[in-house]
Amino acid sequence: MRILKDLGKAFTVGSLVFIVLGIIQYANGYEFTNGREILIMFLYNQLYSVVLYMANAYYFEFLLKKFPKQVFKAKNLLKGLFGGILVTLTAIFFIRIITEVVIAGREFSDFIASEKMQYYYISFLISIVVTTIFYAFYYYRNKQQTIVTQQKIIAGTASAKFDALKNQLDPHFLFNSLNVLTSLIEENPEAATRFTTALSKVYRYVLEQKNKVLITVEEEVNFAKLYMSLLEVRFEDSIVFTTPEKLMNPQAKVVPLSLQLLLENAVKHNKVMPSKKLYIHITEENGNLVVTNNSQPKQVLKESTGVGLRNIRDRYSLLTDRPVVVMETAKQFSIAIPILGENIEIMNTSQTFISEKKYRLAKKRVEKLKGFYLHLAIYMLFVPVFIYLNYISQAGFPWALFPIVGWGMGVSGHAAETFNYNPFFGKSWEERKIRELMDKDE
């Protein structure tokens, strides 16, 4: 299907080129003798169009794969330009072999001996003009796709923040904790008091840490102990929980509430009963905090969404290249989260945000300027080439004006986009329209 679509596009482009060339020939006084001559010219034109289009289209696809998201950088664009010229000339050479050797019946040696560069001028010129138009089209489409991607990233960031808030503490945990508290009030008021105190500390910790990017390992492990003390009251002696007696670097950093999510998942996905105790261990291994539990999955369990683990992975991916590692066997399940250096700093001030935003805008502006100046330089290089080709063709009609003016309009549009110039809907129009609407609302 892909080949058929490309062939259809190639035939369409070839037909348009044939019409334009026919108009130019007619304007120069050429008279077509009969329909057979027109048909032969059309078939030859389509041969050139299809081969050149397919060669350049697949070469451009190769560039998109080799330089993903960077094909329109100045350096890569120059590589694409010179590679496109080589591909085009090679394609024209093979087309001439088909027309001169295969169809016309000339000897290959005679064909090679009499081959001249002027046989390539017109075909090469047309191919360059069409390729430039397609580059402009793909540039516009790439820009639109970049905008869509940026919007997806923004939406994804918002979704990740939402997931982080949603998973900071499972509502079921609060519900179950209140049930435990209710039973304790009647059976053991003293234990109920301790449980209430621990529960309040858990939620206070959540509220204090939810806006922090990193906290110390010591704080996180202490919170894990507090959190597990609640679960141990709920499940009595069905949970065995251990932590390191001494931390290697208590002031090192981890993502806040990560241990809570992992501990909660261990309880949520495994059987917890006196006959099947759940053993959960927190250890330090190779610069990671590792949460390990024996695997005894519940038989009836709704399918896990994996939101909690994804939440931790997403937050760590913004801070370090070190991954969150999941290790699973038939008897054991463990997750290792990276411990970050104690000197790591996350600057999240408004000044830093503004500075980074200015840098991104300035970098984007420089890229746009480089792209425009490269486009302008290539255009200025080809203008005299068009004029020269028009001169040596000895045509009475100045056909070179068509590609020069057409391409020039493209350069003008690129300049308007680069320098944010719009004579119809510029900044003055926007400001005037905003004031007009504001006055109307008042």
Side-chain angles (χ1 to χ4, degrees):
M1 288 297 295
R2 165 70 192 282
I3 295 177
L4 291 177
K5 287 182 180 179
D6 286 336
L7 286 173
K9 293 177 182 178
F11 272 96
T12 301
V13 172
S15 300
L16 293 174
V17 171
F18 179 75
I19 293 170
V20 172
L21 290 178
I23 294 172
I24 292 174
Q25 287 178 311
Y26 182 78
N28 281 276
Y30 184 86
E31 294 184 2
F32 298 96
T33 56
N34 53 53
R36 185 173 181 276
E37 180 188 0
I38 295 175
L39 177 61
I40 293 174
M41 290 178 63
F42 177 75
L43 293 176
Y44 271 92
N45 177 85
Q46 292 301 89
L47 174 64
Y48 273 85
S49 298
V50 169
V51 174
L52 290 173
Y53 179 94
M54 298 294 282
N56 280 281
Y58 283 97
Y59 174 70
F60 189 73
E61 183 179 348
F62 163 77
L63 291 178
L64 290 175
K65 291 181 179 178
K66 187 173 180 61
F67 307 111
K69 300 180 182 180
Q70 294 184 336
V71 71
F72 293 105
K73 300 285 185 182
K75 181 174 68 174
N76 297 334
L77 197 59
L78 282 174
K79 290 180 181 178
L81 175 65
F82 289 114
I85 291 173
L86 181 61
V87 167
T88 300
L89 291 175
T90 303
I92 294 174
F93 175 73
F94 280 105
I95 293 171
R96 285 191 53 78
I97 291 177
I98 294 172
T99 57
E100 297 296 320
V101 178
V102 177
I103 297 177
R106 292 177 59 187
E107 292 291 334
F108 183 76
S109 57
D110 179 53
F111 163 75
I112 294 295
S114 61
E115 199 68 356
K116 297 179 181 179
M117 279 303 298
Q118 60 251 36
Y119 299 152
Y120 294 76
Y121 286 158
I122 301 299
S123 300
F124 179 73
L125 174 63
I126 295 171
S127 179
I128 288 295
V129 172
V130 173
T131 303
T132 302
I133 293 172
F134 278 104
Y135 261 76
F137 168 75
Y138 277 108
Y139 174 78
Y140 174 78
R141 193 176 73 169
N142 179 266
K143 183 180 177 182
Q144 297 304 311
Q145 288 177 342
T146 301
I147 294 173
V148 171
T149 302
Q150 289 173 347
Q151 294 302 316
K152 286 182 179 179
I153 291 172
I154 294 171
T157 302
S159 177
K161 290 180 179 178
F162 174 79
D163 287 344
L165 290 173
K166 183 176 67 176
N167 286 278
Q168 280 169 359
L169 214 60
D170 195 316
H172 292 295
F173 165 73
L174 178 59
F175 177 76
N176 292 329
S177 297
L178 292 176
N179 281 340
V180 173
L181 179 59
T182 302
S183 62
L184 284 175
I185 289 173
E186 296 179 359
E187 299 173 6
N188 191 340
E190 186 179 345
T193 301
R194 292 196 303 270
F195 187 88
T196 303
T197 302
L199 184 60
S200 67
K201 289 180 179 179
V202 166
Y203 275 93
R204 184 167 67 246
Y205 181 86
V206 170
L207 293 173
E208 289 174 351
Q209 306 301 334
K210 70 177 182 180
N211 292 321
K212 292 184 179 179
V213 179
L214 293 171
I215 60 169
T216 65
V217 174
E218 185 177 33
E219 288 178 292
E220 185 70 0
V221 170
N222 287 337
F223 174 68
K225 293 177 182 177
L226 179 63
Y227 179 80
M228 288 305 297
S229 69
L230 293 178
L231 294 179
E232 286 170 346
V233 172
R234 175 184 164 192
F235 292 101
E236 297 180 344
D237 60 347
S238 299
I239 291 181
V240 179
F241 176 67
T242 61
T243 60
E245 293 183 4
K246 185 178 180 181
L247 296 169
M248 296 179 185
N249 187 357
Q251 298 306 308
K253 304 294 179 67
V254 291
V255 168
L257 303 172
S258 52
L259 287 182
Q260 181 269 324
L261 282 170
L262 298 179
L263 295 171
E264 183 182 326
N265 279 345
V267 174
K268 183 191 299 182
H269 298 295
N270 291 278
K271 296 175 182 177
V272 184
M273 56 185 68
S275 60
K276 286 185 174 290
K277 292 185 179 182
L278 181 65
Y279 295 87
I280 304 177
H281 309 288
I282 296 179
T283 57
E284 283 187 277
E285 299 176 13
N286 302 320
N288 296 302
L289 271 183
V290 183
V291 179
T292 306
N293 63 269
N294 55 318
S295 184
Q296 43 192 36
K298 293 179 180 178
Q299 297 300 321
V300 180
L301 182 67
K302 65 179 181 180
E303 186 178 352
S304 173
T305 60
V307 174
L309 182 57
R310 184 171 71 247
N311 176 283
I312 296 172
R313 279 177 164 155
D314 288 345
R315 286 190 286 168
Y316 265 107
S317 68
L318 298 173
L319 302 171
T320 179
D321 293 331
R322 295 169 58 193
V324 174
V325 181
V326 177
M327 296 161 284
E328 185 175 8
T329 64
K331 297 183 178 180
Q332 185 173 280
F333 183 85
S334 62
I335 299 178
I337 59 173
I339 297 176
L340 306 178
E342 60 181 293
N343 295 323
I344 187 170
E345 294 183 1
I346 306 298
M347 302 299 294
N348 197 24
T349 62
S350 59
Q351 291 86 353
T352 303
F353 175 78
I354 293 171
S355 177
E356 290 177 352
K357 187 174 182 180
K358 285 182 177 179
Y359 172 77
R360 288 195 297 269
L361 290 174
K363 185 177 180 180
K364 186 177 180 181
R365 173 89 173 145
V366 169
E367 292 295 334
K368 288 177 69 174
L369 287 171
K370 284 168 59 179
F372 168 69
Y373 290 136
L374 177 64
H375 188 183
L376 179 63
I378 295 173
Y379 172 70
M380 297 301 293
L381 178 67
F382 273 92
V383 166
V385 173
F386 291 143
I387 296 173
Y388 172 72
L389 291 175
N390 196 160
Y391 172 74
I392 64 173
S393 66
Q394 297 180 354
F397 182 76
W399 57 263
L401 289 175
F402 288 99
I404 292 174
V405 173
W407 194 350
M409 291 174 64
V411 172
S412 300
H414 195 171
E417 179 191 2
T418 302
F419 298 102
N420 296 318
Y421 173 74
N422 191 323
F424 303 105
F425 300 104
K427 287 187 176 180
S428 60
W429 177 85
E430 289 180 0
E431 293 172 358
R432 187 172 65 253
K433 198 66 179 176
I434 289 171
R435 284 197 300 269
E436 179 185 325
L437 293 174
M438 288 176 66
D439 294 339
K440 181 185 293 186
D441 289 339
E442 292 176 357

